[in-house]
Amino acid sequence: FQDRFALHLYSVNGKHLSSVPLDEEVTAMCLTEEFVVLGTMQCGLEIRDLQSLRAAVPPVPMRVPVHSVSVTKEKSHILVGLEDGKLIVVGAGQPAEV
């Protein structure tokens, strides 16, 4: 089961730039200029740096599997749609701003 899930980054020309193994199954993804936001079947919300694919912040636990993620136009909040129908709004600024 090792390396069952992975995240791969490619250039617009199709060149493989990097990849990282993931512990959880990704069910939702949203990109910004700097970050990739992932929601998982195992109830996690991950924010990763788009260039390095490293975690930008520790994973945020949700209590139910994530079905959708979206970043607001101002990039101030992340909207997380959960399997139970709830919509969670997560502040996306620096910890002092949230």
Side-chain angles (χ1 to χ4, degrees):
F1 285 94
Q2 203 149 3
D3 293 343
R4 207 170 108 192
F5 305 113
L7 183 63
H8 299 277
L9 178 66
Y10 290 86
S11 73
V12 289
N13 300 329
K15 181 179 179 225
H16 189 261
L17 299 175
S18 63
S19 61
V20 291
L22 297 175
D23 296 331
E24 301 181 1
E25 179 181 357
V26 174
T27 52
M29 179 187 297
C30 182
L31 295 173
T32 70
E33 290 84 10
E34 298 175 57
F35 301 101
V36 56
V37 181
L38 305 172
T40 70
M41 184 59 85
Q42 290 75 18
C43 313
L45 177 69
E46 296 185 19
I47 302 167
R48 293 178 171 265
D49 179 84
L50 187 56
Q51 299 307 313
S52 69
L53 299 181
R54 284 195 213 92
V57 295
V60 180
M62 301 284 136
R63 291 200 170 89
V64 237
V66 176
H67 271 215
S68 64
V69 291
S70 182
V71 177
T72 58
K73 192 169 56 179
E74 305 79 20
K75 298 179 186 55
S76 58
H77 295 83
I78 299 169
L79 307 175
V80 185
L82 302 178
E83 188 176 68
D84 64 2
K86 290 187 175 124
L87 177 68
I88 306 295
V89 180
V90 180
Q94 296 300 320
E97 300 168 19
V98 172

